[in-house]
Amino acid sequence: MVGTKQSGIAAGRLSGEKYAENFSDLHPPLTSHEALVEADRCYFCHDAPCVTACPTGIDIPMFIRQILTENPNGAAKTIFDENIMGGMCARVCPTETLCEQACVRNDCEEKPVLIGQLQRFATDTAMATGEQPYERASSTGKKVAIVGAGPAGLACAHRLALLGHEAVIFEARPKSGGLNEYGIAAYKAAENIAQREVEFITSIGGISVEHGKALGKEITLDGLRNKFDAVFLGMGLGGVNGLGIDGEDGEGVEDAVEFIAGLRQADELSALAVGRKVAVIGGGMTAIDAAVQAKLLGAEEVTIAYRRGKDQMNASAFEQDLAQTNGVTIRHNVQPVRVVVDSGKVSGIELEYTQAQAGKLVGTGETFILNADMVFKAIGQTFNGEVATLALEGRRIRIDSDRKTSLDGVWAGGDCVAGGDDLTVAAVEDGKRAAESIHQTLSA
Amino acid sequence: MVDLRNDFLGIKSPNPFWLASAPPTDRETNVVRAFKAGWGGVVWKTLGEDPHVVNVNGPRYGAIHAGDRRLIGLNNIELITDRPLGINLQEIKKVKREWPDRAMVVSLMVPCEEQNWVDILKAVEDTNADGVELNFGCPHGMSERGMGAAVGQVPEYVGMVARWCKANTRMPVIVKLTPNIGDIRQPARAANEGGADAVSLINTVNSIIGVDLDIMAPEPHTDGKGTHGGYCGPAVKPIALNMVAEIARDPETHGLPISGIGGITTWRDAAEFMALGAGNVQVCTAAMTYGFKIIDELTSGLKNWMSEKGYSSIDEFIGMAVPNVTDWQYLNLNHIVKAKIDQDKCIKCGRCHIVCEDTSHQAITSMLDGQRHFEVIDEECVGCNLCVSVCPVENCITLEQMTEGTDPRTGQPINPDYANWTTHPNNPNRVGEAAE
Ligand SMILES: Cc1cc2nc3c(=O)[nH]c(=O)nc-3n(C[C@H](O)[C@H](O)[C@H](O)COP(=O)(O)OP(=O)(O)OC[C@H]3O[C@@H](n4cnc5c(N)ncnc54)[C@H](O)[C@@H]3O)c2cc1C
Ligand SMILES: Cc1cc2nc3c(=O)[nH]c(=O)nc-3n(C[C@H](O)[C@H](O)[C@H](O)COP(=O)(O)O)c2cc1C
Ligand code: SF4
């Protein structure tokens, strides 16, 4: 039996129940009593600030009122009208920086209405009925190609199908869902919600998914433009930023996103190997998720090393707290200069203190070594640039407010476009907006 | 597919939700906003003769709040429209022309002389409005001038004015009733006999909402004095439901169309009024509390409930509960229920125990084996529903019917047969066979 204290990289650090407990739902769902009590707190504000703060513009006061009047299915419909992934968003949205931050209750009692939890209550109730709440408009005979079955692609497909078009999704991976399936932390996406949601969305009809078809490999953009009436690109970010330091290819240095994907797809968590001492380089959601899940897999010491201060971290305060309550140490103002490798294996990482000088981050020259037998890279993902003909902006696809790209008949959205928030909810909004714009163009 | 369309006296509207005659329907701006939001129709704020009345320039409203300042009762001392008749008529005509699919009913209140009614009816006909509602309800201000509730409280007057109106207009006539009367069936019967096409109820209930203990005057007060007002909002719904049911089940008025009003805030409230016989409903306070947008909750909620129940149109459930409203003497005295506490849901607040202990039948424990534990003692429980009513957790305490064995309270075997007070041995006027 391997324990937390076993050195090196090892599997089976915990007991079976402990794995189950660690990776269960982060926030257990509200009971109907709790939902009613919470719904009663909503003031049904005029031109409600929470609606403005939601990237998809869900009519939040209305859905909460529908919960209060014991009409959770109607509430879910109000949510789905703007956000067909309302179920996943209820679990993964950083509500503390979105809708709940805008709640007027913050002003009187510093405790917002728990919008995310209520949204989950409504969408869970509706999805449990197994019914698709929408009927498609009569067929327009138009076909749209979508690249990527992530939140952006699926949201686009659903809205197009609703409006009577046919959507064919080309997806490189064997499963649909994008990062919902391969990226989101396991304890936020418990009980196979990603696949249940894919089924729910595609059950409207008129959506087919062809797996194992990657743009740039099996298919080309020109091919899609010739064969379809419109194209939507929602392939997310395929590449990972490298550290660009010595020792990066040592055994034990891993890409955080890949580690999480492996964890999400694992049949048996106890078979997953994790280091005793783990270092995570980065300061975003990915860094937090990799660190917390490494800890939950039984790593003894997990440290996040971030090169700037606490307030600059991309991860929200809630996420940072989550890491800390799970026993993850966050070290600010340190940057990696070298991975220490002993006979091919990682034994630590050398970190240098940083400071801001005239607005620029510089190393102070003073370094120390953090022992680690595993190092995760979580310093951001990059757009793969599958399509050379598209105009970019800051290394991602340039779009206008209708999500049109520089190429005629090609729309794009989600993580692969410039100017976004890199959030599930933002990807859903892009997909929805693009579908509306495609519909307008095709009906003209 | 669920169809919410409503046909009330031949007046058609896309849904059964009308705004009641009150500030929400006071002027073109408001009514157009309401129609844009999706309301099925309006009863325009009550018109009177010129010179128009004036309102106080101080507060008109007072409110009762439940916890967290949720408004549950509203009191007002507003009079009928305080704008010239001509302007109102012009606006009504314009809005009806621009919104032909919405119901436009005009509320009226003029002195009790036939000619006054004839004149205003002619003026309203010219607007192409769909119908009129006679306001016999306002309990304050107008009643001091012999109008409103002063008419509504005298059934003969109600019948007389209804008759004048029916004789002088082609438009459907709805008589709006005041609840400030002992027996609501009397004015309803009078309206029916006078030929009214429908009744609507309730208008507001006489009320003083509170007293300012610093200046020792009723709330709201203007320059140190207050007057009674009219009470409405969620708190009056039970009063209104009963009055609607009384009219619906009265053999003399049975079948007379009813427009239900009083405290309607959610789709469920509306469905309840309709189950008790209302052909449609009118809303005032809920709109004045939350704005017109609540219409979306009302329509979506009603639709969802209807599709869950398998109703495709509202006519399918209107009046369905009326046959089950009866007199006390016909209730089945052999139907035995006992309260039951779901121990998994119980949060051990003890409220059920103390209310039963202090004010009912000492039928709920507070301790078991030295532990805080609340459980019903069947030997004492009379099935009164008090504990259910005060329990903060929904469905934690339920009333369960006993269908066999012996009632441990009375020691009597459970009798599956129906038996009511009319044949009960304790009834001095009992009869041989139970009447239903
Ligand atoms: C570790 C991690 C944790 C996160 N946690 C959160 C969170 O808690 N809350 C939150 O709101 N957001 C979170 N995000 C961000 C969120 O997951 C993304 O913003 C969102 O998934 C973007 O959706 P998308 O559809 O643009 O891209 P993706 O979800 O990346 O989907 C793209 C899809 O396209 C496919 N694809 C890629 N290339 C090709 C190709 N060439 N041809 C065909 N198909 C292709 C991919 O396989 C994938 O299925 C997290 C991200 C990561 C990495
Ligand atoms: C401020 C106010 C003014 C009202 N004015 C009128 C009126 O002019 N004519 C009328 O028939 N009823 C009037 N009413 C009564 C309402 O139409 C309605 O019958 C009553 O408020 C009960 O419904 P509710 O509980 O939905 O508010 C008024 C009510 C309020 C609150
Ligand atoms: S509701 Fe409008 S009119 Fe009335 S007191 Fe407030 S601001 Fe004045």
Side-chain angles (χ1 to χ4, degrees):
Chain A
M1 174 82 199
V2 184
T4 323
K5 301 240 163 7
Q6 165 82 40
S7 68
I9 301 176
R13 288 181 183 274
L14 308 171
S15 69
E17 304 108 67
K18 197 70 190 154
Y19 282 110
E21 186 191 317
N22 282 358
F23 288 92
S24 64
D25 229 325
L26 180 59
H27 300 287
L30 297 181
T31 64
S32 57
H33 173 74
E34 288 167 328
L36 287 176
V37 171
E38 192 58 26
D40 200 22
R41 297 183 62 232
C42 172
Y43 287 134
F44 200 69
C45 298
H46 162 68
D47 192 11
C50 53
V51 179
T52 315
C54 168
T56 55
I58 294 172
D59 190 342
I60 294 162
M62 182 56 68
F63 94 68
I64 294 180
R65 195 166 177 82
Q66 288 170 311
I67 290 176
L68 192 61
T69 58
E70 294 174 81
N71 178 14
N73 292 327
K77 175 82 172 15
T78 301
I79 295 162
F80 294 143
D81 281 351
E82 295 302 336
N83 182 338
I84 197 66
M85 277 199 176
M88 187 53 105
C89 287
R91 294 162 165 80
V92 306
C93 273
T95 50
E96 65 282 358
T97 60
L98 299 172
C99 52
E100 290 177 17
Q101 187 184 42
C103 179
V104 302
R105 286 259 182 193
N106 287 313
D107 287 343
C108 49
E109 62 228 32
E110 290 180 20
K111 189 173 173 286
V113 174
L114 299 176
I115 299 169
Q117 295 267 67
L118 288 170
Q119 178 167 319
R120 172 157 179 197
F121 175 79
T123 51
D124 278 0
T125 308
M127 281 169 69
T129 65
E131 277 168 35
Q132 164 68 228
Y134 297 95
E135 243 174 83
R136 297 181 63 197
S138 53
S139 171
T140 60
K142 306 277 188 194
K143 271 179 119 173
V144 181
I146 293 175
V147 180
L154 287 167
C156 184
H158 188 273
R159 185 54 64 104
L160 287 169
L162 179 69
L163 295 167
H165 310 291
E166 204 177 311
V168 181
I169 307 183
F170 298 95
E171 167 57 54
R173 297 232 200 193
K175 283 193 196 170
S176 303
L179 289 171
N180 286 358
E181 175 60 37
Y182 293 97
I184 296 290
Y187 43 79
K188 290 187 191 169
E191 290 166 4
N192 205 22
I193 174 69
Q195 289 313 305
R196 285 193 287 124
E197 192 161 68
V198 169
E199 271 162 43
F200 166 71
I201 290 173
T202 52
S203 72
I204 189 173
I207 303 175
S208 57
V209 189
E210 300 193 11
H211 292 282
K213 295 271 175 72
L215 183 68
K217 289 191 188 144
E218 289 80 7
I219 48 170
T220 64
L221 185 54
D222 285 342
L224 295 180
R225 290 177 81 196
N226 286 336
K227 242 181 99 189
F228 291 86
D229 297 293
V231 179
F232 175 80
L233 302 175
M235 59 268 201
L237 301 173
V240 196
N241 286 324
L243 296 171
I245 53 176
D246 279 353
E248 192 168 347
D249 45 10
E251 192 185 324
V253 180
E254 285 194 31
D255 164 20
V257 177
E258 224 159 81
F259 162 70
I260 295 169
L263 191 147
R264 286 292 309 276
Q265 299 307 310
D267 294 326
E268 200 39 75
L269 289 169
S270 60
L272 287 180
V274 68
R276 180 171 74 162
K277 295 186 175 175
V278 176
V280 182
I281 312 299
M285 216 159 329
T286 306
I288 300 271
D289 286 0
V292 171
Q293 290 176 106
K295 186 83 191 164
L296 295 177
L297 281 176
E300 188 189 11
E301 277 174 32
V302 179
T303 308
I304 291 176
Y306 177 55
R307 60 190 176 135
R308 299 178 194 275
K310 180 174 166 61
D311 296 340
Q312 281 97 25
M313 278 184 102
N314 258 340
S316 68
F318 170 80
E319 302 277 339
Q320 296 181 40
D321 282 354
L322 183 71
Q324 281 163 335
T325 48
N326 276 287
V328 171
T329 307
I330 303 181
R331 302 201 60 157
H332 300 104
N333 303 311
V334 288
Q335 66 185 9
V337 290
R338 175 175 67 103
V339 179
V340 188
V341 182
D342 270 346
S343 34
K345 287 190 185 168
V346 171
S347 72
I349 182 153
E350 185 174 352
L351 297 167
E352 179 186 22
Y353 288 103
T354 63
Q355 61 186 36
Q357 240 172 40
K360 275 191 78 173
L361 194 73
V362 294
T364 61
E366 190 188 341
T367 69
F368 66 97
I369 293 193
L370 178 72
N371 290 336
D373 29 46
M374 214 172 186
V375 172
F376 287 123
K377 298 184 279 186
I379 56 168
Q381 295 163 269
T382 53
F383 176 49
N384 253 346
E386 285 93 337
V387 268
T389 43
L390 282 172
L392 302 185
E393 180 181 329
R395 293 163 55 202
R396 299 203 196 174
I397 302 173
R398 190 174 79 207
I399 48 162
D400 67 9
S401 60
D402 286 333
R403 278 62 174 174
K404 278 186 186 145
T405 68
S406 58
L407 287 182
D408 239 18
V410 181
W411 283 255
D415 284 358
C416 66
V417 301
D421 285 332
D422 289 353
L423 293 174
T424 309
V425 65
V428 171
E429 177 67 1
D430 285 348
K432 176 183 91 184
R433 290 280 194 102
E436 293 290 348
S437 170
I438 291 170
H439 174 66
Q440 265 191 351
T441 306
L442 296 187
S443 353
Chain B
M1 260 317 262
V2 171
D3 184 353
L4 285 191
R5 276 177 301 179
N6 183 225
D7 183 335
F8 190 75
L9 316 177
I11 305 172
K12 298 201 166 55
S13 53
N15 61 55
F17 300 102
W18 294 1
L19 283 163
S21 175
T25 65
D26 179 56
R27 58 194 62 222
E28 178 185 348
T29 320
N30 299 17
V31 172
V32 168
R33 286 177 67 85
F35 285 166
K36 280 190 182 146
W39 287 86
V42 296
V43 181
W44 199 275
K45 173 76 184 170
T46 305
L47 307 186
E49 293 178 343
D50 286 335
H52 58 80
V53 304
V54 297
N55 274 299
V56 290
N57 295 303
R60 297 175 200 185
Y61 306 125
I64 289 208
H65 297 104
D68 208 10
R69 271 188 79 79
R70 188 214 280 235
L71 187 149
I72 53 165
L74 184 72
N75 166 276
N76 86 88
I77 57 162
E78 181 178 278
L79 304 183
I80 62 173
T81 182
D82 54 9
R83 303 188 311 149
L85 180 61
I87 289 183
N88 276 305
L89 292 170
Q90 255 174 34
E91 290 183 1
I92 291 168
K93 188 169 187 169
K94 175 157 177 271
V95 177
K96 180 64 206 179
R97 192 171 58 231
E98 285 165 7
W99 296 85
D101 70 322
R102 309 302 167 94
M104 172 68 77
V105 173
V106 179
S107 171
L108 302 174
M109 185 194 290
V110 293
C112 242
E113 300 290 340
E114 184 165 10
Q115 195 53 46
N116 300 62
W117 287 95
V118 172
D119 293 345
I120 199 155
L121 284 167
K122 287 287 163 273
V124 174
E125 278 189 352
D126 183 53
T127 65
N128 296 315
D130 299 301
V132 289
E133 186 180 80
L134 316 186
N135 178 352
F136 296 153
C138 268
H140 46 265
M142 301 312 293
S143 53
E144 295 169 15
R145 304 170 205 185
M147 293 182 269
V151 179
Q153 284 162 339
V154 186
E156 299 78 53
Y157 291 172
V158 173
M160 177 180 75
V161 180
R163 200 166 293 116
W164 291 339
C165 290
K166 278 310 288 178
N168 287 291
T169 180
R170 56 172 169 77
M171 293 183 289
V173 173
I174 304 167
V175 169
K176 184 166 178 178
L177 302 177
T178 174
N180 301 309
I181 189 164
D183 181 357
I184 196 68
R185 294 172 304 176
Q186 305 303 332
R189 287 174 187 163
N192 193 32
E193 280 158 20
D197 299 285
V199 288
S200 56
L201 68 162
I202 59 172
N203 209 310
T204 53
V205 183
N206 283 337
S207 60
I208 287 178
I209 202 84
V211 176
D212 183 329
L213 291 178
D214 294 325
I215 73 156
M216 284 296 172
E219 305 259 26
H221 44 77
T222 283
D223 194 22
K225 297 267 192 274
T227 183
H228 80 269
Y231 197 42
C232 50
V236 307
K237 180 185 135 193
I239 299 168
L241 280 178
N242 171 56
M243 291 185 164
V244 166
E246 285 296 286
I247 295 170
R249 73 188 189 96
D250 179 9
E252 288 188 39
T253 50
H254 183 75
L256 176 68
I258 300 171
S259 185
I261 318 169
I264 294 163
T265 311
T266 69
W267 69 266
R268 177 183 290 275
D269 299 330
E272 289 174 14
F273 271 87
M274 291 162 101
L276 284 178
N280 72 6
V281 294
Q282 299 183 28
V283 175
C284 167
T285 303
M288 291 184 67
T289 311
Y290 301 106
F292 290 147
K293 211 178 119 176
I294 56 158
I295 185 62
D296 289 338
E297 185 283 315
L298 294 169
T299 51
S300 126
L302 189 61
K303 259 194 200 159
N304 261 283
W305 170 74
M306 284 171 63
S307 74
E308 268 167 40
K309 290 283 174 190
Y311 298 121
S312 53
S313 82
I314 55 176
D315 299 330
E316 289 167 22
F317 65 90
I318 286 173
M320 285 237 318
V322 177
N324 293 326
V325 184
T326 185
D327 293 346
W328 191 97
Q329 60 180 329
Y330 302 128
L331 298 178
N332 185 1
L333 296 173
N334 284 341
H335 186 83
I336 311 290
V337 295
K338 301 283 173 193
K340 193 163 187 310
I341 301 174
D342 182 337
Q343 295 300 333
D344 292 335
K345 291 199 173 127
C346 176
I347 57 173
K348 303 192 170 51
C349 66
R351 287 175 60 173
C352 57
H353 163 78
I354 199 59
V355 295
C356 189
E357 195 73 10
D358 283 353
T359 73
S360 196
H361 291 76
Q362 298 77 45
I364 298 180
T365 67
S366 61
M367 284 284 180
L368 186 74
D369 302 333
Q371 300 286 327
R372 207 171 155 81
H373 182 88
F374 303 93
E375 196 159 297
V376 175
I377 306 159
D378 284 351
E379 286 73 13
E380 307 297 337
C381 175
V382 299
C384 71
N385 213 35
L386 179 64
C387 51
V388 177
S389 309
V390 304
C391 177
V393 180
E394 207 175 17
N395 295 325
C396 173
I397 313 183
T398 46
L399 291 184
E400 308 285 332
Q401 189 188 348
M402 291 191 69
T403 50
E404 54 191 20
T406 305
D407 178 351
R409 183 176 69 89
T410 58
Q412 299 291 318
I414 299 295
N415 184 346
D417 297 331
Y418 167 83
N420 64 37
W421 175 245
T422 59
T423 55
H424 196 278
N426 290 22
N427 180 355
N429 304 318
R430 70 180 169 275
V431 294
E433 187 97 346
E436 271 189 61

Coordinates of all heavy atoms in Angstrom, one line a residue, chain B residues 20-23 45-46 61 74 76 78-80 107 133 135 138 176 202-204 232-233 236 261-264 282-286 288, ligand 2:
Chain B
A20 N -56.2 45.2 -13.5 CA -57.4 45.7 -12.9 C -57.4 47.3 -13.0 O -56.4 47.9 -13.1 CB -57.5 45.3 -11.4
S21 N -58.6 47.8 -12.9 CA -58.7 49.3 -13.0 C -58.0 49.9 -11.8 O -58.5 49.7 -10.6 CB -60.2 49.6 -12.9 OG -60.4 51.0 -12.9
A22 N -57.0 50.6 -12.0 CA -56.2 51.2 -10.9 C -55.0 51.9 -11.6 O -55.0 52.0 -12.8 CB -55.7 50.0 -10.1
P23 N -54.0 52.4 -10.8 CA -52.9 53.2 -11.4 C -52.2 52.5 -12.6 O -51.8 53.2 -13.5 CB -52.0 53.4 -10.2 CG -52.8 53.3 -9.0 CD -53.9 52.3 -9.3
K45 N -58.5 52.7 -15.7 CA -58.7 53.3 -14.5 C -60.1 54.1 -14.5 O -60.4 54.7 -15.5 CB -57.6 54.4 -14.2 CG -57.8 55.3 -13.1 CD -57.5 54.6 -11.7 CE -57.8 55.6 -10.6 NZ -57.8 54.9 -9.3
T46 N -60.9 53.9 -13.4 CA -62.3 54.4 -13.4 C -62.4 55.8 -13.9 O -61.8 56.7 -13.4 CB -62.9 54.2 -12.0 OG1 -62.7 52.9 -11.6 CG2 -64.4 54.6 -12.0
Y61 N -50.5 55.5 -0.2 CA -50.4 54.1 0.1 C -49.8 53.9 1.4 O -49.0 54.6 1.9 CB -49.4 53.5 -1.0 CG -49.9 53.7 -2.4 CD1 -49.0 54.3 -3.3 CD2 -51.1 53.4 -2.8 CE1 -49.4 54.5 -4.6 CE2 -51.6 53.6 -4.1 CZ -50.7 54.2 -5.0 OH -51.1 54.5 -6.3
L74 N -51.5 46.0 0.7 CA -51.3 47.4 0.3 C -52.6 48.1 0.6 O -53.7 47.5 0.4 CB -51.0 47.5 -1.2 CG -50.7 48.9 -1.7 CD1 -49.4 49.3 -1.3 CD2 -50.7 48.8 -3.3
N76 N -54.8 51.8 0.1 CA -54.7 53.0 -0.7 C -55.9 53.9 -0.5 O -57.0 53.5 -0.2 CB -54.5 52.7 -2.2 CG -55.9 52.6 -2.9 OD1 -56.5 53.5 -3.3 ND2 -56.4 51.3 -2.9
E78 N -56.5 56.3 -3.0 CA -56.5 57.0 -4.2 C -58.0 57.0 -4.7 O -58.7 56.1 -4.5 CB -55.7 56.3 -5.3 CG -55.7 57.0 -6.6 CD -54.8 56.3 -7.7 OE1 -53.6 56.6 -7.6 OE2 -55.4 55.6 -8.5
L79 N -58.4 58.1 -5.4 CA -59.8 58.1 -5.9 C -59.8 57.6 -7.3 O -58.8 57.0 -7.8 CB -60.3 59.6 -5.8 CG -60.3 60.2 -4.4 CD1 -60.9 61.6 -4.5 CD2 -61.0 59.3 -3.4
I80 N -60.9 57.9 -8.1 CA -60.9 57.5 -9.5 C -60.0 58.4 -10.3 O -59.3 59.2 -9.7 CB -62.4 57.5 -10.0 CG1 -63.0 58.9 -9.9 CG2 -63.2 56.5 -9.2 CD1 -64.3 59.0 -10.6
S107 N -63.7 51.2 -17.0 CA -64.4 51.3 -15.7 C -65.1 52.6 -15.5 O -64.5 53.6 -15.9 CB -63.4 51.0 -14.5 OG -64.0 51.3 -13.3
E133 N -67.0 48.3 -17.1 CA -67.1 47.7 -15.8 C -67.6 48.8 -14.8 O -67.1 49.9 -14.9 CB -65.7 47.2 -15.3 CG -65.7 46.5 -14.0 CD -64.3 46.1 -13.5 OE1 -63.6 46.9 -13.0 OE2 -64.0 44.9 -13.7
N135 N -68.0 50.5 -11.5 CA -67.2 50.5 -10.2 C -68.2 50.8 -9.1 O -68.5 51.9 -8.8 CB -66.1 51.5 -10.3 CG -65.3 51.6 -9.0 OD1 -65.7 51.0 -8.0 ND2 -64.2 52.3 -9.1
C138 N -65.2 51.3 -4.8 CA -64.3 52.1 -4.0 C -64.8 52.4 -2.7 O -65.8 53.0 -2.5 CB -64.0 53.4 -4.8 SG -62.7 53.3 -5.9
K176 N -68.6 45.5 -10.9 CA -67.5 45.2 -10.0 C -68.0 45.3 -8.6 O -68.5 46.4 -8.2 CB -66.3 46.1 -10.3 CG -65.1 45.8 -9.4 CD -63.8 46.5 -9.9 CE -62.7 46.2 -8.9 NZ -61.4 46.8 -9.5
I202 N -62.7 41.0 -6.2 CA -63.2 42.0 -5.3 C -62.5 43.3 -5.5 O -61.4 43.4 -6.0 CB -63.0 41.6 -3.8 CG1 -61.5 41.4 -3.5 CG2 -63.8 40.4 -3.4 CD1 -61.2 41.2 -2.0
N203 N -63.2 44.4 -5.1 CA -62.6 45.7 -5.0 C -61.9 45.7 -3.6 O -61.8 44.6 -3.0 CB -63.6 46.8 -5.1 CG -62.9 48.1 -5.7 OD1 -61.9 48.5 -5.2 ND2 -63.5 48.7 -6.7
T204 N -61.4 46.8 -3.2 CA -60.6 46.8 -2.0 C -61.4 46.7 -0.7 O -62.6 47.1 -0.7 CB -59.7 48.0 -1.9 OG1 -60.5 49.2 -2.1 CG2 -58.6 48.0 -3.0
C232 N -55.7 45.7 -0.4 CA -55.5 44.7 -1.5 C -54.2 44.1 -1.4 O -53.4 44.3 -0.5 CB -55.7 45.5 -2.8 SG -54.7 46.9 -3.0
G233 N -53.9 43.2 -2.4 CA -52.6 42.5 -2.4 C -52.8 41.1 -1.8 O -53.9 40.7 -1.5
V236 N -55.5 39.8 0.8 CA -56.9 39.7 0.6 C -57.4 38.6 -0.3 O -58.6 38.3 -0.5 CB -57.5 41.1 0.0 CG1 -57.1 42.3 0.8 CG2 -57.1 41.2 -1.5
I261 N -60.6 38.9 -9.0 CA -59.6 39.9 -8.6 C -59.3 39.8 -7.1 O -60.3 39.5 -6.3 CB -60.2 41.3 -8.8 CG1 -60.9 41.4 -10.1 CG2 -59.1 42.4 -8.7 CD1 -61.7 42.8 -10.2
G262 N -58.1 40.0 -6.7 CA -57.8 40.1 -5.3 C -56.5 39.4 -4.9 O -56.6 38.1 -4.7
G263 N -55.4 40.1 -4.9 CA -54.2 39.4 -4.4 C -53.5 38.5 -5.4 O -52.6 37.8 -5.0
I264 N -53.9 38.5 -6.6 CA -53.3 37.5 -7.6 C -51.9 38.0 -7.9 O -51.7 39.1 -8.3 CB -54.2 37.4 -8.8 CG1 -55.5 36.8 -8.5 CG2 -53.4 36.6 -9.9 CD1 -56.6 37.0 -9.5
Q282 N -58.0 39.5 -12.9 CA -57.4 40.9 -13.0 C -56.4 41.0 -11.9 O -56.5 40.5 -10.8 CB -58.5 41.9 -12.8 CG -59.6 41.8 -13.9 CD -60.6 42.9 -13.7 OE1 -60.4 44.0 -13.2 NE2 -61.9 42.7 -14.2
V283 N -55.4 41.8 -12.2 CA -54.2 42.0 -11.2 C -54.0 43.5 -11.1 O -54.0 44.2 -12.0 CB -53.0 41.3 -11.8 CG1 -51.8 41.6 -11.0 CG2 -53.2 39.8 -12.0
C284 N -53.7 43.9 -9.8 CA -53.3 45.2 -9.6 C -52.1 45.3 -8.7 O -51.0 45.7 -9.2 CB -54.5 46.0 -8.9 SG -53.9 47.6 -8.3
T285 N -52.2 44.9 -7.5 CA -51.1 45.1 -6.5 C -49.8 44.4 -7.0 O -48.7 44.9 -6.8 CB -51.4 44.6 -5.1 OG1 -52.6 45.3 -4.7 CG2 -50.4 44.8 -4.1
A286 N -49.9 43.2 -7.5 CA -48.7 42.5 -7.9 C -47.9 43.3 -9.0 O -46.7 43.4 -8.9 CB -49.0 41.1 -8.5
M288 N -48.1 46.5 -9.2 CA -47.6 47.7 -8.5 C -46.5 47.4 -7.6 O -45.8 48.3 -7.1 CB -48.8 48.4 -7.7 CG -49.8 49.0 -8.6 SD -51.1 49.9 -7.7 CE -50.2 51.3 -7.0
Ligands
LIG2 C1 -54.1 52.5 -5.8 C2 -55.3 51.8 -6.2 C3 -56.3 52.4 -6.9 C4 -57.4 51.7 -7.3 N1 -58.3 52.4 -8.0 C5 -59.4 51.7 -8.5 C6 -60.3 52.3 -9.4 O1 -60.2 53.4 -9.8 N2 -61.4 51.6 -9.8 C7 -61.6 50.3 -9.4 O2 -62.5 49.7 -9.9 N3 -60.7 49.7 -8.6 C8 -59.6 50.3 -8.1 N4 -58.7 49.7 -7.3 C9 -59.0 48.3 -6.9 C10 -58.3 47.3 -7.8 O3 -58.8 47.4 -9.2 C11 -58.5 45.9 -7.4 O4 -59.8 45.5 -7.4 C12 -57.9 45.6 -6.0 O5 -56.7 46.3 -5.8 C13 -57.7 44.1 -5.7 O6 -56.8 43.5 -6.5 P1 -55.2 43.3 -6.1 O7 -55.2 42.6 -4.9 O8 -54.6 42.6 -7.3 O9 -54.6 44.7 -6.0 C14 -57.6 50.4 -6.9 C15 -56.6 49.7 -6.2 C16 -55.4 50.4 -5.9 C17 -54.4 49.7 -5.1

